[in-house]
Amino acid sequence: MKLIVTKSYEESCSAAADIILQLVKNKPTAKFGFATGSTPIPIYKKMAEACKAGTADFANARTVNLDEYCGIAPNHPQSYRYFMDTNLFNNININKANTFVANGLGDVNANAAELEEKIFEGGAPDLQLLGIGNNGHIGFNEAGDHLIAPSHVETLTPSTIEANARFFASPAEVPTQAITMGMRGIMAAGQLLLVATGAGKAEAIKGLLIDDAVTTQNPATFLKLHPNAVVIIDSELAALAGVK
Ligand code: GLP
């Protein structure tokens, strides 16, 4: 695992954007696995800026997203499809037909199977961007006594619902289930790029960077098994997690 410790979250996002922009430069048909949550928003802004400045070209890139809430429509302001459209896809020159976010409505098990197909269609993503939940979840693969390999419907833990309630009018409105890539789809990517910031992530990051254990109680620890995983954190989080 490669660790990059930056001076600030802003710098972490620049470093992550640089890796993504370099990849699409080297391989214009690159396939990206993208993530939602608040952490990647500045990364997506930097990608949009590069596109506007004419230094990046996503016209031939393809994307597949990690997850989507069950029970809300793609045009719901809190859906991950809406998040990706407004934070990235509408602001870069990507062909939307080449972007995939699972549908949270209808037969969600069939939609999870469709996500699994899309992950591997034409080959697994060249790069998978990841945030991390307070409990170490990646995508919506929650901490627990086991993890699930294929894309599936996950029941969210109370701590995840609480953490994500800030985006909804009340905790009762947060969907209790989500479709997520499983660990197989995530681990299949050519490169994993995890960005984290904030005190809430310190325990999970300690488990990832300090401890040697790989544990389903902290799903991000599976990154230790990936041959090309990059973790970017700022010095504040590094200090809180005890990373020297
Ligand atoms: C959600 C997403 C994850 C994300 C996590 C952390 O649960 N499913 O992909 O990593 O939130 O979000 P944030 O970056 O807002 O802390």
Side-chain angles (χ1 to χ4, degrees), residues 1-3 130 190-194 208 222-232:
M1 217 161 45
K2 184 177 167 197
L3 171 65
L130 295 168
Q191 180 171 30
L192 300 181
L193 178 57
L194 186 146
L208 174 60
F222 279 71
L223 266 70
K224 296 174 201 183
L225 304 179
H226 195 281
N228 187 6
V230 179
V231 177
I232 307 181

Side-chain angles (χ1 to χ4, degrees), residues 168-196:
F168 292 83
S170 76
E173 277 179 40
V174 185
T176 54
Q177 290 191 311
I179 296 170
T180 184
M181 266 190 210
M183 297 303 286
R184 174 169 68 205
I186 294 174
M187 296 294 282
Q191 180 171 30
L192 300 181
L193 178 57
L194 186 146
V195 182

Side-chain angles (χ1 to χ4, degrees), residues 35-147:
T36 53
S38 48
T39 306
I41 292 174
I43 302 174
Y44 295 150
K45 273 210 183 98
K46 286 169 201 296
M47 290 164 63
E49 278 162 20
C51 225
K52 229 161 252 154
T55 56
D57 181 6
F58 287 90
N60 296 304
R62 292 171 301 147
T63 75
V64 56
N65 254 76
L66 276 174
D67 45 18
E68 178 60 285
Y69 286 121
C70 292
I72 60 178
N75 63 356
H76 185 289
Q78 292 311 328
S79 83
Y80 286 168
R81 161 51 78 181
Y82 185 90
F83 175 102
M84 289 308 300
D85 283 349
T86 51
N87 284 292
L88 185 66
F89 299 148
N90 293 346
N91 311 326
I92 60 175
N93 67 332
I94 198 159
N95 177 354
K96 278 230 192 123
N98 293 334
T99 69
F100 182 81
V101 183
N103 184 359
L105 292 184
D107 181 344
V108 287
N109 289 307
N111 298 348
E114 184 188 16
L115 168 58
E116 188 71 3
E117 241 175 71
K118 295 290 180 185
I119 296 167
F120 292 100
E121 192 177 84
D126 295 286
L127 180 147
Q128 175 65 57
L129 182 63
L130 295 168
I132 184 171
N134 293 348
N135 61 358
H137 74 234
I138 49 177
F140 268 126
N141 292 279
E142 291 285 24
D145 62 9
H146 66 278
L147 291 166

